[in-house]
Amino acid sequence: MPHMLALERTPKPTIHEADNGSGSLLHREFCSICGSGILEYGAAAANHFRYVMTGTLEDPGALPPKGEFFCAYREKWMPEVPGIFHKQHLKD
């Protein structure tokens, strides 16, 4: 598989962990070459799931979104994604 060969030569991601402002630790991973975000998760979700940045996927259509967060801050020009959950604020 050609894409797997590229992954084997890719350096390990740069990891950044910091308080997200509410006292919870947020883990983020970035490409160590270009700095693009790869994924993130909060300490409470560490053993359950990851938020993967769509631009990192070879076939983004293979993993459709399951939900939207921070919808209260959505720009007026950005349409709502139908058929998924929508959280206006993180603690809804």
Side-chain angles (χ1 to χ4, degrees), residues 56-74:
T56 65
L57 301 173
E58 191 172 296
D59 181 11
L63 292 173
K66 294 181 179 179
E68 289 187 284
F69 293 89
F70 306 108
C71 296
Y73 308 104
R74 179 195 326 270

Side-chain angles (χ1 to χ4, degrees), residues 3 5-6 25 44 49 56 59 62 71 73 75 77-78 81-82 87:
H3 65 280
L5 293 175
L25 187 66
F49 59 88
T56 65
D59 181 11
C71 296
Y73 308 104
E75 294 295 333
W77 52 263
M78 176 65 76
V81 178
K87 291 187 79 142

Side-chain angles (χ1 to χ4, degrees), residues 37-41 49-58 63:
I38 299 170
L39 62 83
E40 68 178 54
Y41 57 89
F49 59 88
R50 305 283 190 266
Y51 297 106
V52 178
M53 308 307 175
T54 304
T56 65
L57 301 173
E58 191 172 296
L63 292 173

Side-chain angles (χ1 to χ4, degrees), residues 27-55:
H27 175 99
R28 289 185 170 134
E29 295 185 15
F30 301 88
C31 173
S32 60
I33 296 171
C34 71
S36 295
I38 299 170
L39 62 83
E40 68 178 54
Y41 57 89
N47 295 322
H48 305 288
F49 59 88
R50 305 283 190 266
Y51 297 106
V52 178
M53 308 307 175
T54 304

